[in-house]
Amino acid sequence: MKTSIATRLAVMFAVAALGVFSLVGVALYRVLHRELGRHQLSEVNTRLEYVGMMVGRNDNAVSWQNLRAKLDTLTPADDSVRYWVLGPDPRFVYGDVPAELRERLGAQPGRPFVLELEGRSMRAVSRSIPPKGARPAVQIVTALDSTRFCDTLDTFAGALVVLCLAGVSLVTILGHRIAKVGLAPLSSLSQEAQSLSPRDLSQRLRLSPLPRELSDLVASFNGALDRLERAYAQLEGFNADVAHELRTPLTNLIGQTQVALAKERTATQLEEVLQSNLEELDRLRKIVSDMLFLARADQGETALDRVQASAAEEVSKTVEFLDVILEEAGVSVRVEGDAHASFERSLFLRAASNLLLNAVEHSERGAEIVVAIARRESEMRIAVTNPGAPIPEQHLERLFDRFYRADGARRNSRDNHGLGLSIVKAVAKMHGGTVFATSAEGRNTFGFTLSDSPLAATPGGSSSSPW
């Protein structure tokens, strides 16, 4: 069974209060113990001084009889105070000296000690009196019963225990009540969170009536809901784009097939229909293949089969491979600079090919496309620039998104399925790099960077500006 936060806090308060009360109680007990001991010792010494003065004035056997009578008078009926006088002459002694007292006097002369007599503990002190007249040197001992001091300590300790337990119980009850009151905003917040509906992703938790700690939590939770809403919207848009891209070739396939089956066709006509269908099927294959590649990149796949190679040589191979397309478009390609880096050759060629095809598609006849290769520290930068119409800033930030087309800003945007630049971004991410796009002074630049350390990849894998 799970316990509530209020109960947990109450238990914590109780443990903390028990610890504090225990420390305070122990400290008070020690202080009282020390003070009672000091007062007890002070009383014993006072009595010892008084008896010492009387013993010092008595120097003959006659006056010693009077001293014995006075000491009898000073001794209470309950023997809570005892006196002894020890000496070599039996005429000048007092009290029945127990054996334990003689041992203690021999072991600790002149120091306070505890004497156990008849089941009671007594605090005792001794003092030597020099000889005077007929009286030889004697030693006097005064002992005070410690029972009443021990009873006081026991009573105090019992009161401390009772007060400590009562205080802990009170702190527990008040702590539980205070915790429930303090956690009331959390309860209301929980109820509000339960009212969130998946049908309305724009719902958010309120911040105004909450304390600062919960406000930070709610702000973070609302931020997560914002990201979830954006991701859901992006997913819906992505699904719509996929459906749209797949619907066109499928519609063409179905339409052409229905037309071919509407009446008898010659073998040549059927071959033309099949050839057209094959082109649409190949387009479908490319879309599916690109989607699978992007899905693997989203799952964190990295470039593993890296080799050290010249970027300029690989770009030149790509230009030769696209020679027919470049000739039909009437554009030329110039490669500037070079850099050696570690990359997966097939992925690099795919990204470079997509950038060149993108530049060719949006360049006029006679235009020159420039591929600039440079290196800085642990990154290599590939930038493909072509003359073209300016691209608004709001489109530049999204051109590498899947199926995104900057309608009105890019010519012939419907002649491809909108995954070319997304694949470039995926390749850069798999190499720990970023992508960038700029448009200025009639020239548009698209490119990517590759890092020698894939772990340096940025979370988004993109950037709006080059070096």
Side-chain angles (χ1 to χ4, degrees), residues 253 255-279 281:
L253 286 171
Q256 293 173 2
T257 303
Q258 289 175 340
V259 171
L261 296 175
K263 62 180 180 179
E264 293 185 0
R265 303 288 181 179
T266 63
T268 303
Q269 291 174 329
L270 291 176
E271 184 178 356
E272 292 176 354
V273 172
L274 290 176
Q275 183 65 35
S276 177
N277 287 352
L278 181 61
E279 293 177 358
L281 290 172

Side-chain angles (χ1 to χ4, degrees), residues 187-196 204-207 210:
S187 300
S188 62
L189 180 63
S190 177
Q191 295 176 358
E192 186 179 355
Q194 291 177 359
S195 66
L196 296 177
R204 298 294 182 269
L205 299 178
R206 294 175 299 173
L207 291 172
L210 299 175

Side-chain angles (χ1 to χ4, degrees), residues 1 12 43 118 141 260 264 296 301 307 340 352 382 392 426 448 460:
M1 181 178 178
M12 293 179 185
E43 183 177 350
E118 300 175 357
V141 179
E264 293 185 0
R296 292 197 306 271
E301 184 173 319
V307 294
H340 284 73
I382 312 296
F448 63 98

Side-chain angles (χ1 to χ4, degrees), residues 447-465:
F448 63 98
T449 65
L450 301 180
S451 174
D452 292 337
S453 175
L455 296 178
T458 58
S462 63
S463 174
S464 61
S465 61

